[in-house]
Amino acid sequence: MSNIKITFPDGTAREFEQGITPYEIAKAISGRLAKEALVAEINGVRKELSTPIQSDSEVKIFTLQKEEGKDTYWHSSSHLMAHAVKELYPEAKFGVGPSIDNGFYYDIDINTNLTEEDLVKIEKKMQSIIDRNDSFERKELSKAQAIEFFSGDEYKAELIDAFDEENTVISTYGEGSFTDLCTGPHLPSTKYIKAFKLLSVSGSYWRGDENRARMQRIYGISFPKQKMLDEYIEFIEEAKKRDHRKLGKELDLFSIHEEAGAGLIYWHPKGARVRNEIENFWRNEHLKNGYDLLYSPHIGKSHLWETSGHLGHYKENMFAPMQIDEQDYYVKPMNCPFHIEVYKTKLRSYRDLPLRWAELGTVYRYEKSGVLHGLLRVRGFTQDDAHIFCSKEQIEDEIIEVIKFSNFMWKQFGFESLKYYVSTRPEKVSGNDELWEQATRSLEVALEKEGLEYEIDEGGGAFYGPKIDIKIKDALNREWQMSTIQFDFNLPERFDMKYIGEDGKEHRPYMVHRALLGSIERFMGVLIEHFGGAFPDWLAPLQVAVIPVSQNYFEYAQKIVSLLLDENIRVEFDKRNEKIGYKIRDWETQKTPYMLIIGEKEETNNTVSIRKHKHGDQGEMNLDEFISDLKNSVKNKINNN
């Protein structure tokens, strides 16, 4: 048998015997890699570790440390779970069972309303299947064979019917007595799944359509080691404690009232204080960075949305029109057409450019009720929005300035870990090839000039232009996609935007959509969870609680409160007729940064005794010194949690 050349991701190559498998290659490299290998990629196509390689090939081998490894591991685990469900509930039919960012799920049509106790039963059955060590085996069928094999299963029949050509090869995967429709690849066998936990069960709809069959969705997680599972469960428990919906209620920040409108946020006084600090900071920094502020209407005539293309491409995400003067008006899903209308109020010159216009503009988008999620997915939200209109020559410098501004903003809020992605041209686009190439390269060059590493998201751009996405990591190391810097070749053309160039001729301006925080609502949700509700001094809805040990010290306590208010410090005077220990515990629960305890000693010495959230007693201090320290913390936005 002849040898073949295998080339690895680092460019090195080795010769192996023809027919060698990725698992055997991993074993030849190191015993550890062979032990941890889960799936391979052969010439850009993901394949099982047992796949024979017959010719010269480029090979990548993935462990759980890579997304490809996680996807395979968790997708195989979802099949294992479905197998267990089928053995326990033979009547069960299955929708789809993908891997997700953290684990897997499977949608199931079953006669039983599954409970937490049922999940334990399913887990036990999963373990018994693992103990049998069944292999995942791929089988290829024609469309006709697949229809016959899954006869009587309307869900699989619908999926199979979506394949266009009759001669399409359709793959299934079986392990033991269970076979499912799947493109794969999978783990070699069930024994690779060492530690797992079914986390929850919830309602779902077939194909995500609330007008289709109602199903039940089981979520789960799995790992090759019990320690990894234990750490993940600990992470889940911490995430539950930090859930912004839970903390929003406990800290009295916001509420949502289904009877008054799902996905609409009611800001309570404490939440409004935090939001006000964020918005004031946002406005001041934009003015410092050369932006002008706009305010635009909440509704516009249908003609505006026809011109922008929203009625043609985005109507399903817009609320129904209202009739005013026998014309259709829509609440705005975006601010950009309004900013363009302002641009067009007069003829612009190259001397006017760049124009940087920002707005905290509230928009409304129709989201299905099933995807609404606290502050993170809503129907009405305030966009941290801006549009830059500039010339071709200015675009690179403008992008660099936006990147710098974005990085500054995130660091001020305590987020240090940022990742950058350049999303490139999809199949269907607006704008010619030259514009796309230049715009994409401008984004890349801007990141490179700032010394920032980035990844390419091939085809991830919108039809109207490429973009930079910035993801942040929170205190639990979770990634959130937040900032976006987006080229737009579409709207300047649709609205016939112009400026007079230095040559005296008309030119089309470049347009950049830019959001730094994303939306105030979603950002607040992320911020609450990042800080666990314990906001830094500058953002805390209440910075200081003044607590006299008895009514005898109310007069001195009131003097302290008045002095703090004069310094614009957010303070509350606790006059409750409760024991001092109860009050301290309560304010600690409310995550108030500082408590000032007032008693005989403090009044005599003209001082305050300070308790700091999570740090306890800090001793006595002169009030002026305390105020100076607090104001310094606020001014410098110190994250002192």
Side-chain angles (χ1 to χ4, degrees):
M1 188 175 289
S2 60
N3 286 351
I4 57 173
K5 184 173 77 171
I6 300 298
T7 304
F8 298 105
D10 63 359
T12 61
R14 286 176 60 179
E15 287 197 351
F16 293 92
E17 210 172 72
Q18 186 179 21
I20 193 168
T21 67
Y23 175 77
E24 291 167 335
I25 293 172
K27 195 172 181 181
I29 295 171
S30 78
R32 180 176 179 180
L33 180 59
K35 186 176 181 181
E36 296 182 358
L38 300 174
V39 70
E41 189 176 279
I42 304 171
N43 296 324
V45 180
R46 216 183 300 177
K47 296 284 188 179
E48 280 84 5
L49 292 175
S50 58
T51 306
I53 305 173
Q54 304 296 349
S55 59
D56 293 351
S57 299
E58 295 181 357
V59 174
K60 298 177 183 177
I61 296 171
F62 301 110
T63 68
L64 200 72
Q65 302 305 312
K66 296 293 185 179
E67 292 303 316
E68 294 86 349
K70 291 175 183 175
D71 178 62
T72 300
Y73 198 88
W74 288 335
H75 186 48
S76 297
S77 299
S78 76
H79 276 238
L80 170 66
M81 180 181 72
H83 186 171
V85 169
K86 190 68 174 177
E87 288 199 3
L88 289 169
Y89 308 95
E91 81 283 2
K93 295 179 181 179
F94 301 93
V96 294
S99 68
I100 52 178
D101 287 344
N102 287 295
F104 57 90
Y105 72 77
Y106 224 119
D107 286 337
I108 304 166
D109 184 349
I110 189 172
N111 297 333
T112 305
N113 286 322
L114 296 170
T115 65
E116 296 295 326
E117 291 76 18
D118 294 316
L119 296 188
V120 174
K121 284 167 52 180
I122 297 168
E123 286 176 345
K124 289 180 179 177
K125 180 59 70 174
M126 289 171 69
Q127 186 59 56
S128 71
I129 296 171
I130 290 172
D131 293 341
R132 297 202 294 260
N133 192 23
D134 295 327
S135 297
F136 286 92
E137 296 183 358
R138 178 185 175 93
K139 187 176 181 181
E140 295 183 348
L141 306 174
S142 67
K143 186 172 182 178
Q145 289 172 326
I147 290 171
E148 182 180 356
F149 185 87
F150 290 101
S151 175
D153 187 330
E154 63 271 30
Y155 302 113
K156 301 303 179 188
E158 185 173 328
L159 293 173
I160 294 166
D161 190 55
F163 288 92
D164 292 330
E165 299 177 14
E166 288 298 320
N167 60 355
T168 297
V169 173
I170 297 173
S171 60
T172 66
Y173 279 82
E175 26 92 22
S177 60
F178 181 73
T179 300
D180 202 2
L181 183 70
C182 184
T183 57
H186 279 285
L187 299 172
S189 72
T190 58
K191 77 172 182 179
Y192 276 67
I193 303 170
K194 303 290 188 182
F196 58 89
K197 177 72 177 172
L198 300 186
L199 301 170
S200 64
V201 60
S202 62
S204 65
Y205 294 98
W206 173 231
R207 308 300 287 271
D209 186 343
E210 56 195 28
N211 297 312
R212 306 289 300 274
R214 186 166 177 80
M215 308 181 85
Q216 294 181 74
R217 177 173 293 178
I218 302 177
Y219 287 94
I221 190 72
S222 59
F223 294 100
K225 297 177 182 177
Q226 184 63 41
K227 182 184 177 184
M228 297 171 74
L229 177 62
D230 293 341
E231 289 172 349
Y232 183 80
I233 297 301
E234 185 179 335
F235 160 81
I236 289 292
E237 292 306 312
E238 181 60 28
K240 286 179 181 177
K241 293 177 188 175
R242 291 171 176 258
D243 190 313
H244 74 280
R245 295 166 298 179
K246 173 178 175 288
L247 290 173
K249 184 175 182 179
E250 291 175 358
L251 302 179
D252 197 22
L253 300 173
F254 70 92
S255 59
I256 301 170
H257 303 270
E258 296 290 329
E259 68 279 6
L264 303 175
I265 307 302
Y266 290 69
W267 294 100
H268 296 199
K270 288 183 179 179
R273 288 177 196 165
V274 181
R275 175 170 175 160
N276 187 56
E277 290 301 314
I278 293 169
E279 293 187 354
N280 285 341
F281 171 67
W282 184 93
R283 290 188 186 93
N284 290 336
E285 292 303 323
H286 276 75
L287 292 171
K288 287 180 189 178
N289 279 271
Y291 286 78
D292 286 308
L293 303 182
L294 301 184
Y295 293 90
S296 61
H298 286 247
I299 62 174
K301 281 185 181 180
S302 59
H303 173 72
L304 184 70
W305 308 110
E306 288 164 359
T307 303
S308 69
H310 285 94
L311 284 181
H313 300 284
Y314 201 75
K315 188 173 183 179
E316 64 182 22
N317 297 104
M318 297 172 66
F319 282 96
M322 62 189 86
Q323 281 275 318
I324 301 175
D325 298 332
E326 299 183 353
Q327 295 191 57
D328 284 346
Y329 281 71
Y330 289 84
V331 292
K332 63 177 177 180
M334 296 181 186
N335 300 301
C336 30
F338 293 91
H339 292 197
I340 292 171
E341 289 295 303
V342 175
Y343 180 95
K344 294 186 68 176
T345 55
K346 63 180 181 179
L347 183 62
R348 306 287 173 175
S349 161
Y350 71 94
R351 294 186 181 90
D352 300 322
L353 305 182
L355 290 170
R356 306 182 189 114
W357 290 344
E359 177 181 10
L360 288 171
T362 301
V363 299
Y364 303 88
R365 299 179 187 174
Y366 175 70
E367 299 278 5
K368 292 181 179 179
S369 59
V371 302
L372 297 175
H373 183 78
L375 294 172
L376 302 180
R377 196 76 177 264
V378 293
R379 286 175 173 165
F381 56 94
T382 300
Q383 274 191 314
D384 148 43
D385 208 1
H387 297 95
I388 299 170
F389 305 102
C390 64
S391 67
K392 175 181 177 180
E393 294 74 24
Q394 295 167 329
I395 192 65
E396 193 175 294
D397 288 341
E398 289 303 305
I399 297 299
I400 289 173
E401 287 305 311
V402 174
I403 293 169
K404 287 180 177 178
F405 193 8
S406 182
N407 292 346
F408 165 80
M409 292 287 280
W410 286 116
K411 286 173 183 175
Q412 294 301 297
F413 285 105
F415 296 92
E416 297 288 339
S417 179
L418 307 177
K419 288 181 71 175
Y420 306 86
Y421 298 83
V422 174
S423 300
T424 60
R425 174 184 177 135
E427 286 188 21
K428 295 181 179 179
V429 299
S430 172
N432 60 46
D433 292 348
E434 184 181 349
L435 275 175
W436 269 87
E437 185 176 341
Q438 183 198 357
T440 304
R441 187 58 192 149
S442 295
L443 297 177
E444 293 172 341
V445 168
L447 288 166
E448 290 163 6
K449 284 188 175 181
E450 287 301 294
L452 300 171
E453 294 183 2
Y454 61 91
E455 295 180 23
I456 298 293
D457 177 12
E458 292 288 353
F463 77 93
Y464 48 82
K467 61 178 178 172
I468 293 174
D469 287 325
I470 302 177
K471 294 184 180 181
I472 65 170
K473 280 191 177 180
D474 68 8
L476 295 183
N477 212 34
R478 297 174 298 185
E479 275 195 354
W480 301 88
Q481 201 281 296
M482 304 299 285
S483 303
T484 297
I485 307 166
Q486 173 80 66
F487 268 96
D488 191 338
F489 306 129
N490 184 51
L491 290 182
E493 192 74 32
R494 280 180 168 271
F495 282 91
D496 193 24
M497 298 176 69
K498 299 172 184 175
Y499 72 91
I500 302 301
E502 195 170 2
D503 59 3
K505 297 179 181 178
E506 290 184 345
H507 297 267
R508 192 80 71 201
Y510 276 52
M511 180 177 181
V512 176
H513 303 257
R514 186 241 64 186
L516 302 185
L517 306 180
S519 78
I520 298 299
E521 284 74 10
R522 186 167 180 268
F523 174 64
M524 272 284 286
V526 172
L527 204 64
I528 291 167
E529 298 197 3
H530 177 63
F531 289 118
F535 296 104
D537 295 346
W538 74 282
L539 287 174
L542 187 68
Q543 294 164 324
V544 180
V546 174
I547 311 172
V549 298
S550 75
Q551 292 185 2
N552 296 333
Y553 309 104
F554 272 23
E555 185 176 345
Y556 180 58
Q558 183 59 61
K559 176 185 173 183
I560 299 296
V561 170
S562 298
L563 289 170
L564 292 171
L565 288 172
D566 287 344
E567 297 291 340
N568 293 317
I569 291 170
R570 298 186 288 279
V571 58
E572 187 166 322
F573 186 174
D574 190 341
K575 298 179 180 179
R576 291 177 294 175
N577 186 24
E578 300 285 355
K579 292 182 178 179
I580 188 70
Y582 172 84
K583 292 182 180 182
I584 289 172
R585 288 192 299 273
D586 185 48
W587 286 112
E588 186 70 19
T589 301
Q590 290 298 308
K591 306 181 189 294
T592 304
Y594 301 97
M595 292 175 251
L596 303 186
I597 312 301
I598 307 298
E600 181 179 3
K601 179 177 64 172
E602 289 77 21
E603 185 174 41
T604 301
N605 298 335
N606 198 32
T607 60
V608 292
S609 287
I610 301 167
R611 290 188 66 89
K612 184 172 171 56
H613 176 61
K614 293 195 293 189
H615 296 278
D617 186 11
Q618 304 294 295
E620 273 187 88
M621 184 181 286
N622 177 277
L623 181 64
D624 288 341
E625 186 180 351
F626 169 74
I627 290 174
S628 176
D629 287 350
L630 178 54
K631 291 183 75 172
N632 179 66
S633 172
V634 169
K635 179 182 178 181
N636 293 296
K637 297 180 174 52
I638 296 171
N639 177 16
N640 51 7
N641 289 322

